[in-house]
Amino acid sequence: MAKVKSRYETIFILNPTLSEENTAAAVEKFKSLIAQHGELGEVDIWGKRRLAYEIDDHAEGYYTLINFESTPDFPAELDRVYRITDSVLRSLIICLDE
């Protein structure tokens, strides 16, 4: 029996002091992680934006929005990876099927 897949949307904010190469590498890391565990959808790179409030003394962050499909157990793993990645200031994962 095939596992049921759900649609998700994730946004993460990277530290704005990263170099362009390190920022691109971090975005690629998350894109490949999602692709390994599901189907990668639209990737929308918003770039540097002003934060609503400072996070760790940063007034800006590098935003990336990704849509994907995966089994319901993967978002918890993605959230765990976000939390242990030092360059991620904030992240959010939303299930679009609920």
Side-chain angles (χ1 to χ4, degrees):
M1 188 169 135
K3 285 191 174 186
V4 177
K5 289 191 173 185
S6 296
R7 295 178 312 126
Y8 295 92
E9 182 175 86
T10 183
I11 188 166
F12 56 93
I13 306 171
L14 296 173
N15 186 325
T17 61
L18 292 175
S19 67
E20 281 188 38
E21 295 81 23
N22 289 341
T23 299
V27 171
E28 280 304 313
K29 169 186 168 181
F30 293 119
K31 283 171 49 179
S32 65
L33 178 66
I34 291 168
Q36 288 172 11
H37 295 278
E39 291 181 41
L40 190 62
E42 185 180 343
V43 177
D44 193 3
I45 296 175
W46 296 356
K48 276 191 185 176
R49 300 261 175 114
R50 187 150 189 78
L51 299 171
Y53 55 90
E54 285 193 4
I55 302 171
D56 298 334
D57 296 326
H58 297 291
E60 291 185 323
Y62 189 89
Y63 286 72
T64 304
L65 175 74
I66 300 176
N67 289 297
F68 65 97
E69 286 187 15
S70 75
T71 56
D73 57 336
F74 172 64
E77 172 63 13
L78 179 60
D79 190 48
R80 185 189 73 79
V81 174
Y82 282 150
R83 290 177 192 272
I84 63 172
T85 305
D86 290 338
S87 59
V88 175
L89 298 178
R90 288 285 186 276
S91 63
L92 179 67
I93 303 168
I94 300 170
C95 181
L96 299 175
D97 290 339
E98 292 179 353

